[in-house]
Amino acid sequence: MPGQKLNLDTIESVRSYIRETNPKHIKVGVFDIDGVLRGKFIARDKFLSALDDGYGFCNALLGWDVADTLYDNCEYTGWHTGFPDANLRIIPESGMILPFQNDTLFFTSEFTGASEAICPRGVLRRVLKRAADMGFSIKAAMEFEFFMFKETPESLEEKAFRRLQTLSPGSFSYSVLRSLVQEGLYQEILDTFDSIGIELEGLHAETGPGVVETAIAVDGALAMADKASIFKAFMKILAQNRGLMATFMAKWNETLSGQSGHTHMSVWSLDGKPLFHDPAGEHGMSDTMRYFLGGQLAYLREFAALVAPNINSYSRLTPGYWAPTAATWGIDNRTVGIRVIPGSTRSQRLEYRVPGSDVNPYLSMAAAIGSGLLGVERKIDPGAISTGNAYAQNVPENRRLPSNLETAAVLFGGSEGAKELFGEAFVRHFADSRSFEARQFARAVTDWELRRYFEIL
């Protein structure tokens, strides 16, 4: 059933709405370090109190992995802290009636106080404050590919995640046949997100069995990260309510292309003038665009942990599978790391192609924008353009993406640019969290190892 965007923008407007509608309980949620939506129901009176004073969640929400395994290597939280509550602020403009059962009222939140330094949304807000101080506003749009399966959480366990049945067989990109056979699903996706203020400007079948791709219509960068985060979480709910599963992991099958989370962006003045286009510039690029691009390229290797944050992310970043492997750039070239899309004064933009669909949108956006701002501040030139097949290009070590999460975590933890943009507390915490994830994987015995070694050795 459709939901409703409430269009509230102040604490007082939320308070008035709650008093008028008098719900017994309200659902509140927050996105953790991995972009996973965590939440709970709270009673009406407690919610009204939280509008003024905030409310608490155990700070383990920022101190464990996607499987609720506590980090053993971070300073912010752990057994040594006793796991106190972290305070959260309700975000008024996030209010909606959920597009599922029971007309549930829902608001998202963000961490405040001591936890704000670690909060993913807080990290992006600080980057955007830096942009505003430079006289810039950022417009962005995200697109996601995701695989869909005729499976349930129970069937995945029963099958040990093998021999899974995809929504449709074969590769049939932009298929009208597939999208009309599944028209009920496609229409439900469009209607669901439209009802809560998330306009999907495109939705279609992609290359691969059961792959769907969507593009979220352009918005301000913070609003886009909010929408992208909600889209990923709610798309999974929509699928499971239909007896299906949707996954946003970067690459679920070694024989198939991975799933992207590309980000399109452009820089505007605070009074609404586009700043990326210059008809006299090479390729129509203004100096602002060139330097912004230069910064993104210069810091892509150091910031890789933010845009490829999981073990599986690096399985996607392989030549010939529609994912970049280096900090390269080109004009309308889909083999590079950052694609310059030429256009009109208002449409010229950059496509940041390294992120997979597994990213935390707040952190991926912070990396893309923050590095661009450093480029403008330091007037970093993007260097030589890539033409043709960028996979075949000889790229220096400092422009190659790391090949694994462990290396990415070390690079990020030692990045002075990251500390300047995101704060030392966040950089230390996030680098430690990725190192922890790498250690978890190092203990795993994979199917590949069993098949290769079990009988022979």
Side-chain angles (χ1 to χ4, degrees):
M1 61 187 301
Q4 181 185 344
K5 178 71 175 172
L6 297 181
N7 297 316
L8 306 171
D9 56 7
T10 65
I11 292 295
E12 194 52 47
S13 64
V14 174
R15 194 190 325 275
S16 297
Y17 181 86
I18 296 297
R19 287 174 173 163
E20 289 171 8
T21 57
N22 197 31
K24 190 172 182 180
H25 292 89
I26 298 97
K27 184 81 169 181
V28 291
V30 65
F31 290 97
D32 69 12
I33 204 82
D34 289 291
V36 176
L37 182 59
R38 311 274 184 166
K40 59 185 176 182
F41 286 98
I42 60 177
R44 173 185 176 275
D45 288 347
K46 182 173 182 178
F47 180 86
L48 288 170
S49 174
L51 290 174
D52 294 320
D53 304 324
Y55 69 97
F57 255 123
C58 175
N59 74 0
L61 259 65
L62 291 170
W64 60 23
D65 64 13
V66 294
D68 290 5
T69 303
L70 293 164
Y71 303 144
D72 61 9
N73 62 336
C74 75
E75 295 181 19
Y76 164 73
T77 189
W79 295 112
H80 62 286
T81 69
F83 293 110
D85 270 357
N87 198 57
L88 286 88
R89 178 185 76 87
I90 293 167
I91 301 169
E93 58 269 27
S94 70
M96 69 177 75
I97 296 172
L98 288 175
F100 306 116
Q101 296 86 14
N102 303 322
D103 293 333
T104 301
L105 190 58
F106 174 76
F107 287 83
T108 57
S109 313
E110 62 183 347
F111 293 95
T112 62
S115 302
E116 187 170 357
I118 311 297
C119 175
R121 193 174 191 268
V123 169
L124 178 56
R125 280 196 295 101
R126 290 195 295 275
V127 168
L128 294 176
K129 171 65 164 56
R130 188 187 192 102
D133 290 345
M134 294 171 65
F136 299 149
S137 65
I138 312 296
K139 292 187 178 183
M142 292 195 76
E143 55 188 45
F144 291 105
E145 296 166 343
F146 52 100
F147 275 82
M148 298 195 70
F149 299 85
K150 295 178 180 178
E151 302 288 352
T152 66
E154 293 75 21
S155 71
L156 292 178
E157 293 291 339
E158 291 168 2
K159 294 181 174 183
F161 292 83
R162 291 294 176 184
R163 301 186 184 280
L164 305 181
Q165 184 180 2
T166 54
L167 179 65
S168 55
S171 294
F172 200 176
S173 188
Y174 299 101
S175 169
V176 173
L177 172 64
R178 294 278 188 254
S179 59
L180 289 184
V181 168
Q182 299 287 346
E183 186 175 11
L185 170 63
Y186 277 68
Q187 198 61 55
E188 183 179 357
I189 294 171
L190 292 169
D191 291 345
T192 293
F193 290 102
D194 182 67
S195 74
I196 56 173
I198 300 177
E199 179 188 354
L200 304 182
E201 67 174 22
L203 183 70
H204 63 89
E206 249 295 352
T207 299
V211 190
V212 178
E213 180 175 1
T214 193
I216 304 173
V218 65
D219 207 333
L222 184 60
M224 177 52 54
D226 288 337
K227 290 178 178 181
S229 299
I230 287 291
F231 175 81
K232 289 178 63 178
F234 284 14
M235 186 61 232
K236 287 176 166 289
I237 297 168
L238 186 157
Q240 289 196 38
N241 282 343
R242 275 181 158 259
L244 303 170
M245 296 285 290
T247 183
F248 289 83
M249 68 182 293
K251 189 164 184 172
W252 83 273
N253 187 300
E254 65 188 34
T255 67
L256 302 171
S257 295
Q259 303 179 113
S260 69
H262 300 159
T263 303
H264 295 247
M265 63 188 63
S266 58
V267 175
W268 298 62
S269 67
L270 295 179
D271 59 357
K273 297 176 182 176
L275 300 178
F276 266 6
H277 188 265
D278 180 355
E282 188 176 12
H283 308 299
M285 295 168 62
S286 67
D287 286 345
T288 299
M289 186 178 193
R290 286 190 65 84
Y291 294 145
F292 196 90
L293 170 63
Q296 289 184 323
L297 293 165
Y299 288 97
L300 194 48
R301 178 174 167 83
E302 291 180 20
F303 293 2
L306 294 177
V307 296
N310 301 302
I311 292 292
N312 181 251
S313 305
Y314 297 85
S315 297
R316 169 180 165 267
L317 301 175
T318 54
Y321 281 92
W322 299 98
T325 57
T328 52
W329 73 281
I331 304 298
D332 203 9
N333 186 332
R334 286 180 169 85
T335 68
V336 298
I338 302 175
R339 172 182 167 224
V340 174
I341 302 177
S344 68
T345 301
R346 302 180 67 84
S347 67
Q348 183 145 319
R349 63 194 186 275
L350 295 170
E351 182 188 30
Y352 196 74
R353 292 181 56 80
V354 175
S357 60
D358 60 333
V359 292
N360 181 329
Y362 295 110
L363 300 182
S364 176
M365 196 84 73
I369 296 170
S371 57
L373 295 178
L374 290 180
V376 174
E377 290 175 349
R378 299 170 187 183
K379 297 185 176 180
I380 300 174
D381 190 84
I385 189 172
S386 295
T387 58
N389 183 5
Y391 295 129
Q393 182 179 336
N394 186 19
V395 179
E397 180 68 24
N398 66 352
R399 289 297 175 99
R400 296 177 189 166
L401 297 177
S403 60
N404 57 71
L405 183 59
E406 185 175 15
T407 301
V410 172
L411 288 168
F412 185 70
S415 172
E416 293 303 318
K419 293 171 186 175
E420 179 181 341
L421 285 170
F422 314 127
E424 290 197 21
F426 173 79
V427 171
R428 180 172 59 248
H429 183 79
F430 191 75
D432 288 345
S433 75
R434 299 311 95 180
S435 295
F436 179 85
E437 184 78 358
R439 283 193 289 114
Q440 296 296 99
F441 180 68
R443 295 201 299 264
V445 178
T446 66
D447 288 355
W448 185 90
E449 293 168 286
L450 289 173
R451 290 194 180 97
R452 192 169 185 88
Y453 304 127
F454 188 94
E455 178 186 5
I456 305 303
L457 299 183

